[in-house]
Amino acid sequence: MYYMEFSRELLFFFSALGAFNGVLLSLYFLFFIKNRKNFHPFLGLLLLLLSIRVAKSIFLFFNPYLFELFVQIGLSACFLIGPSLFLYLAASTNKKSWSVKNWWIHLLPFLLLITIVSYLYPYYDNLRLWKKHLIEIIYWQWFIYIVLSGIYIRETLKKVMKKKLTFTNNEVWVSNVFVGVFIIWIAYNTTVYTS
């Protein structure tokens, strides 16, 4: 019995430590990095949103009676993960078709929408609405942005998959971020089928 409690506490500690490190790393990219490039804020925002979402899951797993506002913040963060991924990949690949001035088109409407919905229909008063409809919308929007991001960096993904070609560190980094976010999306969408 003591072994199960200790392993549970250990799992919580390392999970929470990972989320906390994600928050610290995101703050570094948002505010403290030297040699600031136009994609660092988007990477910082992406890491912050992922860390908030992961922290919500960790605390909800270990405390199912978690304060509903924390759950709502974690779910709301998911609504901005997809756009942040797209903006980071678009800014870091430096394609001529991309302008950093267009960032607001992808973030502000969703930020405004989730803020209004969260205010009018708080999670704790509208559990059925959130669990049946809003969460599904959030995850579909996130998936659409993953697809758009994959299309945007398809040449980089093809290049990295072919081991004989040479590729830059940035191309490997961009591919890893894309695949990592996609794996996280898959993990959250398959929890219904796993323990």
Side-chain angles (χ1 to χ4, degrees), residues 30 41 65 76 94 100 105 107 122 136:
L30 284 169
Y65 307 105
S76 299
N94 293 322
V100 179
I105 294 170
L107 280 180
E136 190 172 323

Side-chain angles (χ1 to χ4, degrees), residues 12-188:
F12 175 78
F13 172 75
F14 284 114
S15 301
L17 186 63
F20 180 71
N21 283 336
V23 170
L24 288 180
L25 189 59
S26 69
L27 294 176
Y28 172 74
F29 278 112
L30 284 169
F31 302 111
F32 301 109
I33 194 166
K34 297 175 184 176
N35 302 329
R36 197 171 180 84
K37 296 183 180 174
N38 64 354
F39 60 84
H40 286 142
F42 298 122
L43 179 59
L45 181 62
L46 177 63
L47 288 171
L48 180 63
L49 295 168
L50 285 169
S51 298
I52 290 170
R53 179 59 177 99
V54 168
K56 184 226 91 151
S57 296
I58 293 166
F59 288 107
L60 189 61
F61 179 77
F62 287 99
N63 181 6
Y65 307 105
L66 189 66
F67 184 52
E68 287 87 359
L69 180 61
F70 193 63
V71 174
Q72 183 173 330
I73 290 170
L75 291 171
S76 299
C78 283
F79 205 49
L80 300 174
I81 291 172
S84 298
L85 171 68
F86 178 78
L87 290 170
Y88 165 68
L89 296 177
S92 66
T93 54
N94 293 322
K95 291 188 177 178
K96 292 181 181 176
S97 63
W98 167 251
S99 170
V100 179
K101 296 174 187 171
N102 296 332
W103 68 269
W104 63 272
I105 294 170
H106 296 278
L107 280 180
L108 286 184
F110 294 118
L111 181 61
L112 213 69
L113 181 63
I114 199 66
T115 303
I116 291 169
V117 168
S118 296
Y119 179 75
L120 294 177
Y121 305 101
Y123 181 82
Y124 53 88
D125 288 337
N126 301 281
L127 286 173
R128 185 181 172 104
L129 174 69
W130 276 85
K131 289 184 177 183
K132 281 215 169 243
H133 303 292
L134 294 179
I135 291 174
E136 190 172 323
I137 291 168
I138 288 168
Y139 283 121
W140 272 108
Q141 180 257 20
W142 185 1
F143 179 72
I144 289 168
Y145 266 99
I146 287 173
V147 171
L148 290 173
S149 299
I151 291 169
Y152 196 84
I153 63 162
R154 67 184 172 275
E155 296 304 320
T156 302
L157 292 172
K158 286 179 191 174
K159 193 175 177 185
V160 170
M161 296 302 249
K162 294 180 181 178
K163 296 179 181 177
K164 293 182 180 179
L165 294 174
T166 58
F167 39 84
T168 65
N169 288 337
N170 187 51
E171 290 172 328
V172 174
W173 180 257
V174 162
S175 301
N176 284 332
V177 169
F178 172 78
V179 170
V181 171
F182 188 43
I183 288 171
I184 291 171
W185 181 87
I186 289 171
Y188 281 121

